[in-house]
Amino acid sequence: MINYRKVNNLTGWIVFLIATLVYMLTIEETASFWDPGEFIAVAYKLQVPHPPGAPFFLLTYRMFSFLAFGDTLEIAYWMNAGSALFSGFTILFLFWSITLLGRKLFKLEKDKESKGHTIAIMGAGIIGSLVYTFSDSFWFSAVESEVYAMSSFFTAIVIWAFLKWDVIENPRDENRYMIFIAYLVGLSIGVHLLNLVTLPALALVVYFKKYKSPNLKGAVIAFLLGGVALVIINNIIIPGLPSLAGSLEIFFVNSLGLPFGSGIIVFIVLILGGLVAAILYSIKMQKAILNTVLLSLTFILIGYGSYALIIVRSNANPPINENAPKDIISFVSYLKREQYGYRPLLKGQYFTAEVESQEEGAPVYAKGESKYEIVDYAIETMYDPEKTTILPRIYSTQANHKQIYRSKLGLREGEEPTFADNISFMLSHQLGHMYWRYFMWNFSGRESDYTDAPWMGISDLFGDYPDFIKENKAHNNYLMLPILLGIIGLFFQAKYDGKSFWLTMMLFLMMGVVLVLYLNSPPIEPRERDYIYVGSFYAFAIWIGMGVLAIAHAIGKMNKNFAVASIMATLIGFPVPLLMASQNWGDHNRSDRYFSVDSARNFLASCEENAILFTGGDNDTFPLWYVQEVEGFRTDVRVIVLSYFDTDWYVEQMTRPINESAALPFSLERKNFKRGTNDVLYVNERQGLNAISAKEYLRLLKNESDLLKIETGFKSTVYQVPSRNLIMEIDSAEVIKKGIIPAGMEDLVISQMNLRVKGNYMTKGNLMLLDLITTNNWERPIYFNNTSLSTIGFDLKNHVVMEGLTYRLLPIQKPENVEEFVNTELAYKNVMEKFAFRGMNNPDNYFDEEYRRFTSNHRSVFNSLTTALLMEDKLEMAADIQKLSLEKFPNEAIPYDLSSGQSVPLLFEMGEDDLALDIIEKLSEKSFQTLEFYRDRGRAMDREAMISLEMMRFFVPLLQERGYDELATKVQNNLDKVLGPGTSSNGILRNRK
């Protein structure tokens, strides 16, 4: 007789080892792009990440960093290993959840499992869990230090714990398990809130067990009660308790005159006292259910207590202290993610709605010297009621979002959307494009890793794809086998175990479709968001396991030997995870990839000592934080996130020294940049005032001069900019004496710099930038990356010099005939001696779209430097730069792109015709295949296709000018094939940098 329990445990641990080994072999060895750079940095030093924080994640991953034994270059690896380990445990609990559901489906009694049933259930667990192991979205999160791996672990263990609770017979043990589940839920709050979405579905487990004759009405009530539990935790416990504490704190301090913290102390005493009294009452009165509920609430609060870390560490003023939630008021704002704005859920405006009015709402408090002060008022925006709707899906009034709505819905400019358009967008884009496409990626296949790539099916196996798609490592086709197996399992479970079917279905919908409706995503996101819905894919993996049981059941009916049938079913199902593993390995193996970190090093290496560097968000900043805070590289450079500069907490942090970087010089005081003050300053050009001194303007603003005040209907004071021309006086002789002007540029030094405001208003961030530039007076080098330079509120492009990947602000005027001004000597030295490109020339490595974008950025910088060197007749140095680019970023590893095409005329000019022709041949062939593919598929041209068309048009006359008529004719003929005759160059590329 097979010992089912031992087999189940042993097989589960074997699957765990397989999954963990796979993830360990494919983890990224450093900080990935996007959030991992931030999370590794904040976990290593226990700092404060973006809202709503993940304190338990930080504490846990901090312990993984100890495995590096002080080697800072290994810290990221071991934190990534933490994700691999948690992901392995997720697979373990998925396996055990499938086997629990398999036992229930076959209605097996304890210790009475037959050999056939044991083999079938183990096969189901193996196939289902391994399919999920090798699924696209889960594997992606399993190999990097993000919250989603640990969050998936909590989701998996909570689902397993509920299923385990379902088979417990002793009521005392049931209650203990329920308290254990509550503690897990509490801990998961300190990681991610995805776990909570499972509660309505898991309430069905309780209902089906406790009610022997369940019905639809009861199931609906149980589901709704689970929803109530979700609301209590998500809306009352998480933000509600701190909000109540904040209200008491304001009352005790402002109204009663008590010291700071008195309201918090009273609140804690009341909550703890009430809980203790209630628990003692439940014990005294022998109310077991009430006692279990109260203890569960207590353990949820204990788990939630990890959030104390955020306040404690924020008050320690670490280098990364996002939102600075130092007190209860700022902590509540942090928890509620107020900085991210509001998305309407049940009622809201169409994107064409006009703002009818704006009214001041509830006051916003901040901690002052002796009490909490009102610093601002919430603004309530009222829209035209004729242009509002229930369940608003096309709500965003951003200009670029409006254009996308119209494009996707086929609405002409000026045409009003209808409710049918609203629902159409929800079904086609939010559900279709932003969920079902991701679902099919995971269980059917994916065309490539290009933005908006479609899913693949069986028919696509014979599709005529261009080489650049076929060679893309994310070109994966599973022949729809996983989804077919899952559908079989879905119907099989529905037929033989209806209760578990509805549990699995609700898990699938709650963490998928319902989550889509709740998130109400805008028409575009910064990146693909498939990792959000891994919980839904987890539920589908259960059905894949059930599919193996269905096959075993069908074969068993035919051969009457269920053990043999179970072995055959397992063998039939086993190729599915093997196929997924073989298809997905190439684009999920992140070993030997370092450019996310190397590009950050290159940015910092482009800066002089003690520099100030302005960046954009996310990938522009998080890798920089990582290399500074973890690896300790160039901590003298003060990195400033431009968007954060609009907040008072961030500006205040800039007034303090951090690491080796001194405090920034400002003339304005906190009263001038605190929340609610100078958030927006409107340009109101006064007649006869063509310009104003920047220093004088800052002096007037600092003194809160009535000359700058604007009368509004709001209680807060608004200041204006009386002229968009803000003049900064420059002592030319003193500037040259400081030695900051590159050799040969002395004649370009100017005596005045016009910090001209671009738009109709100036934000707080741009005000503080104006103050920094003026007050700094050229003492510390100020740099911008490309993103920040293009988004700041001043036009400084004529006053910056490229020194590598960064642009340095200098008191010079760029010559009119120069598109991009470059300090060639310094930029050449930085690129050739300081830049790093580890692993980028290895064609076996996988470089996703973000890596390719940063590579293109580097190639573009190399082209700009080459152009500047050629203008200075430094031919040999120019050749060095181009050859370095081709050596470090070869086509075999990083396919040639637009920037590569722009280097072609430079190579021709240097006499490197062979290199230029090689690029043309490869790019033109890729471009032809791309255009032909889009034409044959009837797809509208996206950015990739437009670039392909642009390059082919550009190459034809360029080749003709150089006498390469044969190749020119070939390229032109290819153009004619896909677009028809007469597709000559339009000169777009020629005019690019």
Side-chain angles (χ1 to χ4, degrees):
M1 173 68 85
I2 293 178
N3 187 318
Y4 177 87
R5 182 173 175 273
K6 288 183 178 180
V7 171
N8 185 44
N9 288 340
L10 179 61
T11 309
W13 284 110
I14 291 173
V15 171
F16 161 79
L17 290 173
I18 292 171
T20 305
L21 178 62
V22 167
Y23 299 145
M24 288 297 295
L25 290 174
T26 57
I27 59 173
E28 192 133 11
E29 296 171 61
T30 187
S32 311
F33 278 120
W34 299 106
D35 292 358
E38 176 200 15
F39 278 124
I40 293 171
V42 296
Y44 177 53
K45 292 185 177 179
L46 291 182
Q47 305 185 78
V48 181
H50 63 269
F56 190 64
F57 170 91
L58 303 183
L59 288 167
T60 306
Y61 277 64
R62 167 65 175 158
M63 290 191 290
F64 278 104
S65 74
F66 296 157
L67 297 174
F69 294 102
D71 185 350
T72 57
L73 297 179
E74 292 294 319
I75 285 169
Y77 174 85
W78 285 108
M79 288 194 186
N80 293 342
S83 290
L85 185 62
F86 280 117
S87 299
F89 276 114
T90 302
I91 300 303
L92 173 66
F93 287 108
L94 172 59
F95 173 86
W96 283 338
S97 295
I98 292 173
T99 58
L100 279 168
L101 290 170
R103 284 177 56 88
K104 193 172 182 183
L105 185 143
F106 286 130
K107 300 177 177 60
L108 300 178
E109 296 182 22
K110 188 177 180 180
D111 298 327
K112 293 185 179 180
E113 304 88 353
S114 69
K115 185 198 307 185
H117 284 126
T118 301
I119 295 172
I121 293 171
M122 293 305 107
I126 291 169
I127 304 305
S129 57
L130 286 183
V131 164
Y132 191 64
T133 297
F134 300 120
S135 63
D136 179 39
S137 300
F138 183 71
W139 195 345
F140 177 87
S141 298
V143 293
E144 63 178 19
S145 295
E146 244 275 32
V147 295
Y148 295 103
M150 194 174 182
S151 173
S152 293
F153 161 73
F154 275 108
T155 302
I157 193 173
V158 166
I159 292 173
W160 169 81
F162 265 100
L163 296 175
K164 190 74 173 175
W165 174 89
D166 188 36
V167 299
I168 293 174
E169 297 176 358
N170 188 326
R172 180 185 293 270
D173 291 338
E174 277 185 347
N175 293 342
R176 288 173 176 170
Y177 240 86
M178 196 59 71
I179 294 168
F180 168 65
I181 292 170
Y183 183 53
L184 291 174
V185 170
L187 288 176
S188 75
I189 294 171
V191 181
H192 196 271
L193 300 182
L194 178 65
N195 187 299
L196 303 181
V197 183
T198 65
L199 295 182
L202 293 174
L204 295 175
V205 178
V206 180
Y207 173 69
F208 290 141
K209 181 177 183 180
K210 294 300 181 181
Y211 293 84
K212 300 305 178 184
S213 301
N215 54 48
L216 179 61
K217 179 182 176 181
V220 170
I221 292 173
F223 183 81
L224 292 176
L225 288 174
V228 170
L230 168 61
V231 171
I232 289 173
I233 297 173
N234 188 60
N235 296 76
I236 297 178
I237 291 180
I238 296 176
L241 290 181
S243 295
L244 179 59
S247 299
L248 277 176
E249 172 74 355
I250 291 172
F251 172 75
F252 274 77
V253 175
N254 286 15
S255 300
L256 302 183
L258 295 175
F260 288 119
S262 55
I264 304 298
I265 294 172
V266 171
F267 174 80
I268 292 173
V269 169
L270 289 174
I271 290 292
L272 293 181
L275 269 176
V276 170
I279 291 171
L280 291 175
Y281 169 80
S282 68
I283 295 172
K284 181 179 179 181
M285 304 303 293
Q286 295 294 297
K287 295 183 178 294
I289 294 178
L290 177 61
N291 181 260
T292 302
V293 170
L294 290 170
L295 285 174
S296 296
L297 175 60
T298 301
F299 274 85
I300 288 174
L301 291 176
I302 291 171
Y304 180 39
S306 66
Y307 261 97
L309 173 76
I310 297 295
I311 297 179
V312 170
R313 291 301 297 154
S314 181
N315 278 281
N317 292 321
I320 301 174
N321 189 8
E322 300 190 55
N323 290 64
K326 298 181 177 182
D327 53 69
I328 190 63
I329 306 303
S330 55
F331 179 64
V332 170
S333 174
Y334 182 84
L335 279 178
K336 291 182 175 180
R337 297 165 53 94
E338 291 179 354
Q339 73 180 58
Y340 297 116
Y342 164 74
R343 294 179 183 179
L345 184 59
L346 298 178
K347 185 178 180 181
Q349 72 283 353
Y350 286 123
F351 67 89
T352 56
E354 301 292 334
V355 176
E356 284 206 334
S357 63
Q358 287 187 319
E359 300 176 3
E360 284 187 338
V364 177
Y365 289 89
K367 189 176 182 180
E369 293 295 327
S370 58
K371 66 176 184 177
Y372 293 97
E373 302 171 349
I374 297 176
V375 295
D376 201 0
Y377 292 87
I379 301 297
E380 297 180 4
T381 302
M382 309 297 176
Y383 290 95
D384 180 357
E386 297 295 323
K387 295 183 180 180
T388 58
T389 181
I390 59 170
L391 201 66
R393 304 291 107 178
I394 47 176
Y395 60 89
S396 176
T397 55
Q398 292 184 28
N400 61 328
H401 288 179
K402 289 181 178 181
Q403 294 172 356
I404 297 172
Y405 285 139
R406 291 194 179 279
S407 173
K408 289 186 177 294
L409 296 171
L411 297 175
R412 298 183 300 274
E413 193 65 38
E415 186 177 358
E416 292 294 327
T418 63
F419 185 70
D421 292 321
N422 184 61
I423 298 302
S424 173
F425 182 80
M426 178 186 75
L427 295 175
S428 65
H429 186 77
Q430 291 184 326
L431 284 171
H433 189 73
M434 298 295 289
Y435 173 72
W436 288 115
R437 179 172 63 103
Y438 295 151
F439 174 82
M440 298 301 286
W441 275 8
N442 282 271
F443 300 110
S444 182
R446 179 178 181 177
E447 186 182 272
S448 68
D449 62 6
Y450 292 99
T451 302
D452 294 338
W455 59 273
M456 297 179 68
I458 298 174
S459 61
D460 295 303
L461 181 65
F462 309 103
D464 186 18
Y465 288 97
D467 290 340
F468 82 94
I469 287 182
K470 288 189 291 187
E471 294 168 2
N472 187 286
K473 287 184 170 65
H475 181 66
N476 303 322
N477 195 337
Y478 321 133
L479 308 177
M480 300 190 78
L481 294 178
I483 196 171
L484 179 62
L485 195 57
I487 291 172
I488 292 172
L490 181 155
F491 284 106
F492 184 70
Q493 190 184 43
K495 182 177 180 179
Y496 291 98
D497 186 8
K499 296 177 183 178
S500 297
F501 165 76
W502 284 113
L503 166 65
T504 311
M505 177 61 79
M506 289 301 103
L507 287 172
F508 177 73
L509 293 177
M510 286 299 297
M511 294 187 285
V513 172
V514 174
L515 195 57
V516 171
L517 299 178
Y518 176 76
L519 293 175
N520 197 8
S521 296
I524 53 172
E525 293 278 11
R527 58 169 169 157
E528 301 284 14
R529 299 293 196 188
D530 54 299
Y531 53 85
I532 295 174
Y533 307 112
V534 291
S536 181
F537 308 152
Y538 181 96
F540 191 78
I542 293 175
W543 279 326
I544 289 174
M546 297 298 106
V548 176
L549 297 183
I551 295 172
H553 178 76
I555 297 174
K557 279 187 174 181
M558 292 185 289
N559 69 358
K560 307 304 180 182
N561 187 328
F562 196 61
V564 173
S566 299
I567 294 172
M568 292 176 66
T570 303
L571 292 175
I572 289 171
F574 205 69
V576 178
L578 288 181
L579 173 64
M580 294 178 67
S582 64
Q583 288 284 299
N584 286 348
W585 188 279
D587 56 306
H588 290 82
N589 182 7
R590 302 201 203 175
S591 58
D592 197 34
R593 296 202 320 182
Y594 299 93
F595 198 55
S596 51
V597 171
D598 284 348
S599 62
R601 285 175 166 266
N602 296 346
F603 272 105
L604 295 172
S606 300
C607 299
E608 289 290 308
E609 186 178 348
N610 201 30
I612 300 167
L613 172 61
F614 283 88
T615 71
D618 292 359
N619 285 335
D620 280 356
T621 302
F622 295 158
L624 301 179
W625 283 354
Y626 165 78
V627 296
Q628 286 189 318
E629 296 301 313
V630 179
E631 297 188 359
F633 180 76
R634 290 302 304 272
T635 56
D636 61 298
V637 178
R638 179 66 65 98
V639 175
I640 301 178
V641 187
L642 188 62
S643 58
Y644 291 1
F645 221 34
D646 284 327
T647 64
D648 58 347
W649 58 266
Y650 193 66
V651 175
E652 191 169 13
Q653 289 174 21
M654 295 301 107
T655 63
R656 298 193 298 269
I658 292 178
N659 296 321
E660 296 178 90
S661 171
L664 301 189
F666 293 113
S667 64
L668 297 177
E669 300 171 352
R670 191 181 188 284
K671 67 175 183 178
N672 305 118
F673 60 77
K674 66 181 181 181
R675 180 173 176 177
T677 302
N678 295 324
D679 291 333
V680 178
L681 301 100
Y682 293 97
V683 175
N684 184 20
E685 296 189 271
R686 295 185 182 177
Q687 189 172 3
L689 186 62
N690 184 50
I692 183 173
S693 165
K695 280 190 176 181
E696 179 62 18
Y697 175 72
L698 291 168
R699 187 189 67 80
L700 291 173
L701 200 63
K702 180 179 180 179
N703 295 329
E704 300 176 335
S705 172
D706 292 338
L707 295 173
L708 301 180
K709 290 181 180 178
I710 299 178
E711 293 295 327
T712 68
F714 297 132
K715 298 174 185 177
S716 55
T717 301
V718 178
Y719 293 91
Q720 64 180 312
V721 184
S723 173
R724 68 174 66 252
N725 296 310
L726 300 167
I727 306 301
M728 177 182 175
E729 300 292 336
I730 299 167
D731 186 338
S732 305
E734 182 63 24
V735 166
I736 293 174
K737 185 178 178 181
K738 288 179 178 179
I740 64 172
I741 306 300
M745 296 186 189
E746 292 83 359
D747 294 341
L748 301 175
V749 175
I750 52 180
S751 59
Q752 290 184 340
M753 180 180 289
N754 185 359
L755 301 171
R756 181 178 172 83
V757 181
K758 286 181 182 177
N760 296 322
Y761 61 89
M762 181 166 60
T763 64
K764 178 182 293 179
N766 286 309
L767 170 64
M768 299 314 297
L769 173 60
L770 172 71
D771 188 7
L772 175 63
I773 292 172
T774 305
T775 308
N776 180 60
N777 196 31
W778 314 110
E779 292 296 327
R780 292 178 67 176
I782 297 177
Y783 290 87
F784 301 89
N785 74 348
N786 190 56
T787 304
S788 61
L789 184 62
S790 61
T791 54
I792 58 175
F794 307 109
D795 187 3
L796 299 179
K797 290 187 177 179
N798 289 330
H799 309 296
V800 294
V801 177
M802 195 181 84
E803 295 184 356
L805 288 175
T806 57
Y807 299 85
R808 182 174 181 176
L809 181 67
L810 287 173
I812 61 171
Q813 180 69 35
K814 183 182 72 175
E816 292 183 3
N817 63 335
V818 176
E819 184 174 345
E820 197 156 60
F821 206 25
V822 183
N823 182 345
T824 55
E825 293 291 336
L826 182 56
Y828 177 85
K829 180 180 179 181
N830 286 338
V831 169
M832 298 300 295
E833 298 179 11
K834 297 181 181 180
F835 280 19
F837 312 96
R838 289 175 292 173
M840 295 302 288
N841 58 356
N842 185 353
D844 294 330
N845 285 349
Y846 170 61
F847 302 111
D848 58 26
E849 196 167 30
E850 206 58 34
Y851 272 80
R852 297 194 296 269
R853 187 177 73 83
F854 270 79
T855 300
S856 184
N857 181 41
H858 276 63
R859 282 171 169 165
S860 180
V861 167
F862 293 164
N863 289 342
S864 297
L865 176 54
T866 301
T867 302
L869 288 167
L870 289 174
M871 291 181 67
E872 296 178 8
D873 293 325
K874 298 175 180 177
L875 191 62
E876 187 175 338
M877 294 170 67
D880 289 342
I881 295 297
Q882 284 301 309
K883 288 177 180 178
L884 178 73
S885 177
L886 294 172
E887 175 193 343
K888 299 300 183 182
F889 308 125
N891 180 66
E892 294 74 20
I894 306 287
Y896 291 144
D897 54 19
L898 174 61
S899 296
S900 303
Q902 292 166 346
S903 70
V904 167
L906 302 176
L907 290 167
F908 274 137
E909 190 169 344
M910 292 184 293
E912 299 288 351
D913 287 27
D914 290 343
L915 296 177
L917 291 172
D918 180 65
I919 293 174
I920 289 177
E921 288 182 348
K922 287 183 169 64
L923 273 177
S924 57
E925 181 62 27
K926 175 185 174 181
S927 298
F928 169 62
Q929 291 184 7
T930 302
L931 294 171
E932 192 174 40
F933 175 68
Y934 274 71
R935 181 200 62 186
D936 293 344
R937 293 293 177 106
R939 291 189 190 177
M941 284 195 183
D942 63 1
R943 183 176 181 273
E944 188 73 26
M946 292 299 294
I947 289 174
S948 298
L949 174 62
E950 191 176 327
M951 284 192 292
M952 289 184 74
R953 285 175 167 172
F954 172 62
F955 288 149
V956 173
L958 185 63
L959 287 167
Q960 290 171 342
E961 290 172 10
R962 294 283 168 173
Y964 295 105
D965 295 331
E966 184 177 346
L967 183 55
T969 302
K970 178 183 176 182
V971 175
Q972 183 63 57
N973 288 340
N974 285 340
L975 266 174
D976 293 342
K977 285 180 185 177
V978 292
L979 298 175
T983 53
S984 59
S985 171
N986 57 9
I988 298 176
L989 270 179
R990 185 181 299 278
N991 295 327
R992 290 180 182 266
K993 64 183 180 183

